[in-house]
Every structure is written in structure tokens, then in C-alpha cells.
């Protein structure tokens, strides 16, 4: 039967609960167990698709088109867990289901209430992970214990042991032990309070993972164990990591977490752990032979999670080339003010990521122009491709004021526009072109070479498309339309032949990159950046 692990968080948010949950999944897989992961988010939006990246960080897209929390990105990068639209539930989604059941009359005669109707629905979502091919289901609860909106979720997970047996459930609570410089010591009180709150709800954590700035010491760990009513060996330290997030799983193994979980859940089929692949990965991260600087030109640049998967994918590509990738985060409006020459001098590649809305667009287009004209490796993703198309139309094809109808509805040259089937859509939630779509690559192009394939499948999240009426002009002008949808209707990839590396894609390749399996396009981009870097060094000698 499937055993369940629940990961909750306390004291403060942003402790890396998603990363820790993903690391637990990874450790269990490294012990030969089959894992499935899930995130429950207590906010009311039905999914994060309508939220600004400033509020929520990146929206992570799955193959089936579900717009999900960015923690699912950690799950996919760290584990082989199958993920689909049933891997992320919000309060909004749960209520939507319960309310439509009520309207259909499924609760006829009853008063519909948070307990049991909402909690039963949450439990049903959790139990969807039960399957013969799943040894352990890991459910991460978003937010922090004490949040009003988290209560029904906590109540639901409290009840699961009643249904499947306490011995088949494990409650992991992640908290912070702050180090107070003035007092010169680590403080355990907030953790005690947080566990106290959980116990009031009826949940006794089995394992406490404590995030610390400095080493805690056994004495403190024992104190926490005593006050929080957990076993001494079940207080696991997770100190801040200096180099990389890839250190997290190894630290947890060192502190005995995998064995603890195996013992507590009686996972008798678990093998001895083999972390050799992960150790090699970390070795490469710590000892790079080269270094490149990539400018990411975006508009949500101050938010550290707004382009999360892009930063990760750049790192993966760096690892595959033994290269440390330094990201220069460029605010596109800043580039508008200062000009590309000063902002982009000294970088080895420019990446323009996805985005929505008008702000900062001209800065991105300036960045494309600079990269195209100076032979700087360029990678455009989604909106980044649309900017590349607009730039080429304006400055090479001389289509004056060419634009996307997203930014200039009345432009004379709508090189990016809504296609017929999108024009009548007015709802904003889950109405974009979403999820995995196939794409045919034209043989002999840079992308066909990078993928070493003729047909690929990549994830999408956009409304606007390359306007098919302009295809011939672009082809004749020297921009190659190197990837098309299988029916030939949609332009998915453009590239410049007369340039060291200029590729722009309508999809989001960053969602399919893994630490040990860099995405071919990111890999190609970093390789080109490396060549650029070396040429630059030679010139300066
Ligand atoms: N705003 C553009 C569109 O809707 C690009 C979207 C994106 O970059 N994800 O088509």
C-alpha cells in the first residue's frame, strides 16, 4: 500500500519547504522506492496562472497544461514523480469542486460545511496518489502553520491516519531556528510554538527538520526534541548551504533522514542509498573549469523566483560544460534608460525570458538588437521570441513600428498577433495555449542539431503567435523558421543562420531541464557563450 508523508512548515515562509520535500523524494528514490509528489496551496486562486510573478514567483507548467506552483519544478528536477493537474490543489480548486457538486445535488438534504465536505474533498485529492506503483506519496502543504486558510488542509491531513493507520503516515515539520547575534545563541522558542500549534490541531510531528544558519549542536537538538515531543534522532538539522541547492539532499542523508523515514514508515523494500551520481554532480558544481556571464533581461528581475526554472536550467547547462554560469539580472526598463551597450558590455550571452504586458518591452527589443548586431549569443523564450521577431521585422525587414497586438493593437505590422481561435476568448484563467505540444524541426538547422531529433515536445504558455502572413518575408530576410507545429500552422522556433548562436522559441524549454540532463537548447546556448567568452579573452590578450 502507498504510505504518506506530509510536509508542513512553521515559524516563517521561504524556508525551502519545496526544496526539502523534493530532496526527501530524491532520497527515497535513491533507496529504490517509487515516489509521487503533490503540493496543496491554501490560497483561493483556482491555480497560480492568474497571479503576478511578483506575488508568487514563476508559474510552472506541466505536460498536461496545468499551471502550477513553482515547487513542482523542484519535484520534477529532483525526482521522477509523475506530475499532472492532480499534483497541485488550491483552496479555490477544492471549493470549486465542492460547490459544483452541491449544485448538481450530490449533497442533497445536507448543509455543506468545511468539516466534513471540504476536508473530505482534500482527503480525496491526497488519496488520489495511492496507487500500486507508488510506495510513498509526499504531500507538501504550502504556507505556514497558523495561517487561517491552511486550517482545513491541516484538519484533512490530521484525519488521514484515522483512515489508513498511523503507522502508514509520517508528519514532517520544517521550521527555523534563528541565531540571535546579540544573544550569541540559537533560539528554539519559535519552533516550540509552531509545534505547539500543530499539536493543538491534533498533529504530532514525527520528524522535525530545522533550518539553521549555523550548526545547532546536539544540546540544542535534544532540547528541541524534549520540548516538541519528538525523538532525539528525529531532529534533523538542515543548515544554509554555501554553494548550491544540490548540497541539500546530501546534508539530509548525512543527518540520517532517509534511514529515519524508512524505519518509521517500515519501508522494508528500501535498498541501501546510492548518492554517487549526486556527489559527482556536486563535485562538478564546486569545481568548474570555466565561467560565463549571461544577462537575463526581464521585467520581474528583482523577484528571485520569477524566472526560477530559467536560472536552474542555465545552471544545469553550466554543469554539463563544467562552467559556472553567472547571471546578470537586467531590468529591461533600466536597459531602456541606459542603452544596451553599457548594460550588456562584458556579458557572454543574452537571454530574454517570457512575460506579459507592455512594460519593459522596448528594453528587451533593444537587447535583442544589440545581441543580433554584435554576434552575442542570444536565446529568446516565449515573449523573448516575440521580441526577436519584432526586432527583426523593424530593423532588418524595415517594417516600421512592427509590433505584437498585445502591445499595440493598431500596429501596421502585427508580426505577433492572436490567431482566430484565441480572439473570442475573454476569460483569463487557464485559457492560454498551455502544456506540451509537438514541434517538427527543420533538418540542418541549429535546433535540429542541438536536439538531434526531428520531432520534439515542449511546454507552452502563451496567447499570441507568430503571424503566418509574414512568414515569407522572414524567410527571405534571413530569419529561419526552424520549428513548426506538426500541422504547419504555428511557428515555434526562429533562428538566424548568419550569427554565432541566435535561437528563439515560443515554448518554455526551461521546464524540462534536469540537473543531470541539461536541456539541449540551454546547453547549446552556454556552449556558444563559452566560445564567445574565450574569443573575448583572446582579443584582450
Ligand atoms: N505575452 C505573450 C503571450 O501571451 C508571451 C507569454 C509568455 O512569455 N509566457 O503570448
Amino acid at each position: 500500500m502507498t504510505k504518506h508523508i506530509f510536509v508542513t512548515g512553521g515559524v516563517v515562509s521561504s524556508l525551502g519547504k519545496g526544496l526539502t520535500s523534493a530532496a526527501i523524494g530524491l532520497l527515497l528514490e535513491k533507496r529504490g522506492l517509487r515516489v509521487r509528489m503533490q503540493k496543496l496551496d491554501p490560497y483561493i486562486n483556482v491555480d497560480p496562472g492568474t497571479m503576478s510573478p511578483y506575488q508568487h514567483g514563476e508559474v510552472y507548467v506541466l505536460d498536461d497544461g496545468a499551471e502550477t506552483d513553482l515547487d513542482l519544478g523542484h519535484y520534477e528536477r529532483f525526482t521522477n514523480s509523475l506530475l499532472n493537474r492532480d499534483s497541485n490543489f488550491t483552496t479555490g480548486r477544492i471549493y470549486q469542486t465542492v460547490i459544483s457538486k452541491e449544485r448538481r445535488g450530490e449533497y442533497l438534504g445536507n448543509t455543506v460545511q468545511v468539516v466534513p465536505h471540504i476536508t473530505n474533498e482534500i482527503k480525496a485529492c491526497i488519496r488520489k496518489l495511492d496507487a500500486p506503483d507508488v510506495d510513498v506519496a509526499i504531500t507538501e502543504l504550502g504556507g505556514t502553520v497558523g495561517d487561517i486558510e491552511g486550517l482545513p488542509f491541516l484538519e484533512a491531513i490530521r484525519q488521514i491516519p484515522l483512515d489508513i493507520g498511523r503507522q502508514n503516515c509520517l508528519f514532517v515539520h520544517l521550521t527555523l531556528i534563528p541565531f540571535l547575534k546579540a544573544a550569541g545563541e540559537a533560539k528554539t522558542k519559535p519552533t516550540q510554538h509552531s509545534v505547539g500549534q500543530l499539536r493543538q490541531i491534533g498533529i504530532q510531528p514525527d520528524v522535525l527538520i530545522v533550518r539553521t544558519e549555523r550548526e545547532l549542536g546536539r544540546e540544542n537538538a535534544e532540547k528541541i526534541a524534549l520540548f516538541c515531543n519528538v525523538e532525539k534522532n528525529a531532529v534533523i538539522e538542515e543548515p544554509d548551504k554555501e554553494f548550491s541547492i544540490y548540497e541539500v539532499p546530501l546534508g539530509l542523508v548525512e543527518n540520517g533522514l532517509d534511514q529515519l523515514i524508512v524505519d518509521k514508515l517500515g519501508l522494508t523494500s528500501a535498498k541501501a542509498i546510492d548518492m554517487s551520481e549526486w556527489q559527482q554532480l556536486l563535485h562538478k558544481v564546486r569545481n568548474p573549469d570555466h565561467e560565463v556571464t549571461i544577462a537575463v533581461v526581464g521585467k520581474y528581475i528583482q523577484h528571485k523566483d520569477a524566472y526560477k526554472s530559467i536560472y536552474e536550467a542555465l545552471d544545469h547547462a553550466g554543469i554539463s560544460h563544467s562552467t559556472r554560469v553567472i547571471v546578470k539580472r537586467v531590468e529591461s526598463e533600466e536597459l531602456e534608460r541606459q542603452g544596451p551597450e553599457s548594460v550588456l558590455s562584458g556579458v557572454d550571452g543574452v537571454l530574454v525570458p517570457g512575460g506579459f504586458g507592455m512594460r519593459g518591452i522596448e528594453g528587451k527589443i533593444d537587447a535583442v538588437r544589440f545581441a543580433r548586431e554584435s554576434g552575442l549569443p542570444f536565446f529568446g523564450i516565449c515573449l523573448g521570441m516575440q521580441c526577436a521577431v519584432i526586432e527583426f521585422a523593424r530593423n532588418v525587414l524595415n517594417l516600421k513600428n512592427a509590433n505584437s497586438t498585445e502591445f499595440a493593437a493598431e500596429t501596421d505590422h502585427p508580426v505577433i498577433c492572436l490567431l482566430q481561435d484565441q480572439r473570442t476568448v475573454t476569460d483569463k484563467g487557464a485559457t492560454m495555449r498551455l502544456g506540451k505540444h509537438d514541434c517538427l524541426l527543420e533538418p540542418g538547422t541549429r535546433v535540429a542539431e542541438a536536439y538531434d531529433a526531428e520531432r520534439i515536445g515542449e511546454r507552452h504558455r502563451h496567447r499570441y503567435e507568430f503571424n503566418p502572413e509574414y512568414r515569407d518575408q522572414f524567410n527571405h530576410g534571413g530569419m529561419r523558421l526552424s520549428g513548426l507545429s506538426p500541422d504547419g500552422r504555428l511557428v515555434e522556433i526562429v533562428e538566424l543562420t548568419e550569427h554565432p548562436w541566435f535561437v528563439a522559441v515560443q515554448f518554455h524549454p526551461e521546464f524540462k531541464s534536469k540537473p543531470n540532463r541539461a536541456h539541449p537548447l540551454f546547453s547549446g546556448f552556454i556552449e556558444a557563450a563559452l566560445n564567445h567568452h574565450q574569443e573575448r579573452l583572446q582579443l584582450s590578450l
Side-chain angles (χ1 to χ4, degrees):
M1 83 177 277
T2 303
K3 312 250 175 173
H4 284 263
I5 297 180
F6 300 101
V7 184
T8 55
V11 181
V12 289
S13 58
S14 305
L15 285 179
K17 189 152 39 78
L19 192 61
T20 304
S21 304
I24 293 174
L26 171 85
L27 300 192
L28 295 180
E29 283 191 350
K30 296 287 180 199
R31 297 205 55 155
L33 297 162
R34 296 157 306 172
V35 165
R36 196 150 302 166
M37 312 225 25
Q38 180 184 52
K39 172 102 194 262
L40 304 176
D41 277 308
Y43 53 74
I44 315 249
N45 304 56
V46 171
D47 62 42
T50 53
M51 269 189 256
S52 153
Y54 280 128
Q55 297 263 322
H56 192 262
E58 122 188 318
V59 174
Y60 190 79
V61 182
L62 301 177
D63 275 349
D64 69 356
E67 297 176 277
T68 71
D69 185 78
L70 59 82
D71 281 331
L72 276 80
H74 290 307
Y75 305 167
E76 278 206 324
R77 290 186 283 268
F78 276 45
T79 75
N80 300 309
S81 166
L82 189 96
L83 295 179
N84 57 30
R85 62 178 65 255
D86 285 344
S87 310
N88 191 193
F89 289 96
T90 67
T91 293
R93 175 125 176 249
I94 300 282
Y95 271 76
Q96 197 179 43
T97 311
V98 170
I99 291 170
S100 35
K101 281 187 185 170
E102 187 275 332
R103 291 289 84 185
R104 285 199 301 272
E106 288 188 29
Y107 310 112
L108 221 48
N110 287 315
T111 311
V112 181
Q113 296 182 294
V114 173
V115 184
H117 300 96
I118 294 296
T119 46
N120 280 352
E121 190 58 40
I122 297 172
K123 285 203 290 179
C125 294
I126 294 171
R127 298 294 303 282
K128 276 190 191 167
L129 301 186
D130 290 1
D133 62 342
V134 180
D135 298 312
V136 185
I138 302 175
T139 299
E140 177 195 348
L141 179 58
T144 312
V145 169
D147 297 345
I148 294 176
E149 29 184 46
L151 279 173
F153 290 93
L154 287 169
E155 171 56 17
I157 64 174
R158 180 193 71 80
Q159 292 177 17
I160 299 266
L162 306 178
D163 301 337
I164 64 170
R166 181 68 176 89
Q167 71 285 6
N168 297 317
C169 300
L170 189 81
F171 292 97
V172 176
H173 190 53
L174 185 77
T175 72
L176 173 73
I177 307 278
F179 184 86
L180 282 199
K181 284 202 190 81
E185 57 180 11
K187 289 293 180 191
T188 65
K189 191 70 84 190
T191 293
Q192 294 175 39
H193 280 300
S194 173
V195 173
Q197 258 181 316
L198 264 183
R199 290 170 66 192
Q200 255 174 18
I201 297 164
I203 296 173
Q204 168 63 54
D206 303 294
V207 178
L208 274 182
I209 300 183
V210 294
R211 297 276 292 104
T212 53
E213 248 173 281
R214 321 185 172 191
E215 209 175 317
L216 193 57
R218 242 16 250 172
E219 200 185 312
N220 266 327
E222 287 180 14
K223 182 171 158 196
I224 297 168
L226 181 67
F227 282 106
C228 298
N229 196 33
V230 296
E231 291 161 21
K232 285 182 203 161
N233 70 339
V235 178
I236 305 283
E237 249 188 272
E238 190 191 315
D240 291 347
K241 298 294 180 217
E242 193 188 334
F243 276 106
S244 144
I245 55 169
Y246 305 126
E247 291 177 89
V248 170
L250 290 169
L252 293 174
V253 174
E254 248 166 60
N255 291 336
L257 181 63
D258 59 306
Q259 191 56 43
L260 187 71
I261 295 175
V262 165
D263 292 343
K264 284 196 174 288
L265 281 177
L267 296 163
T268 44
S269 61
K271 301 184 307 193
I273 200 150
D274 177 8
M275 293 300 283
S276 50
E277 191 193 3
W278 208 258
Q279 262 146 354
Q280 281 162 16
L281 185 81
L282 197 60
H283 181 79
K284 283 197 206 158
V285 174
R286 283 189 171 145
N287 306 289
D289 297 323
H290 320 279
E291 197 174 275
V292 293
T293 303
I294 302 295
V296 174
V297 183
K299 79 168 184 183
Y300 313 111
I301 227 70
Q302 295 99 338
H303 193 295
K304 78 176 199 347
D305 285 339
Y307 304 112
K308 183 93 196 157
S309 296
I310 288 195
Y311 300 142
E312 294 285 321
L314 286 171
D315 274 348
H316 305 161
I319 293 170
S320 74
H321 292 288
S322 259
T323 299
R324 186 159 91 96
V325 178
I326 300 167
V327 172
K328 178 171 182 181
R329 298 177 184 211
V330 177
E331 179 62 64
S332 46
E333 284 175 302
E334 196 54 36
L335 195 137
E336 282 169 20
R337 282 189 287 272
Q338 296 192 17
E341 291 77 9
S342 72
V343 178
L344 299 178
S345 75
V347 307
D348 306 304
V350 174
L351 189 155
V352 178
F356 295 83
M358 172 88 203
R359 182 171 70 79
I361 285 298
E362 294 304 321
K364 292 177 188 176
I365 294 172
D366 287 348
V368 179
R369 179 175 192 161
F370 182 78
R372 182 179 56 77
E373 290 180 345
S374 63
L376 193 58
F378 172 80
F379 193 10
I381 293 180
C382 207
L383 180 64
M385 167 178 143
Q386 299 175 356
C387 288
V389 167
I390 296 168
E391 192 280 326
F392 196 80
R394 287 184 191 171
N395 301 321
V396 179
L397 303 180
N398 290 318
L399 302 175
K400 209 161 164 265
N401 297 328
N403 216 328
S404 161
T405 53
E406 181 179 3
F407 317 125
E410 305 302 329
T411 171
D412 293 338
H413 295 291
V415 286
I416 303 290
C417 65
L418 288 180
L419 298 190
Q420 206 54 46
D421 43 0
Q422 280 279 11
R423 289 194 185 149
T424 48
V425 177
T426 50
D427 275 7
K428 290 283 184 258
T431 55
M432 284 187 257
R433 178 165 178 243
L434 289 166
K436 183 174 166 225
H437 293 275
D438 279 3
C439 168
L440 300 183
L441 306 179
E442 197 186 321
T445 57
R446 202 177 288 286
V447 284
E449 187 195 326
Y451 279 99
D452 193 19
E454 283 175 14
R455 190 183 185 106
I456 55 159
E458 292 279 7
R459 298 180 188 172
H460 292 246
R461 183 171 184 257
H462 59 105
R463 285 198 173 80
Y464 293 81
E465 303 280 354
F466 184 104
N467 185 342
E469 286 176 21
Y470 289 89
R471 275 194 192 182
D472 288 346
Q473 289 191 59
F474 276 80
N475 266 327
H476 294 141
M479 181 170 264
R480 227 163 150 188
L481 314 180
S482 50
L484 299 180
S485 58
D487 62 6
R489 270 181 70 226
L490 306 172
V491 176
E492 310 280 37
I493 310 177
V494 299
E495 63 181 60
L496 292 180
T497 328
E498 304 298 315
H499 187 285
W501 207 91
F502 189 108
V503 174
V505 296
Q506 187 57 79
F507 46 80
H508 289 272
E510 69 274 22
F511 295 144
K512 291 201 8 185
S513 177
K514 290 210 175 207
N516 272 328
R517 203 161 14 93
H519 189 283
L521 292 183
F522 277 89
S523 183
F525 176 52
I526 292 300
E527 191 182 339
L530 210 50
N531 292 337
H532 186 271
H533 186 82
Q534 270 145 10
E535 277 163 27
R536 210 156 49 88
L537 285 184
Q538 272 157 11
L539 282 179
S540 65
L541 281 181

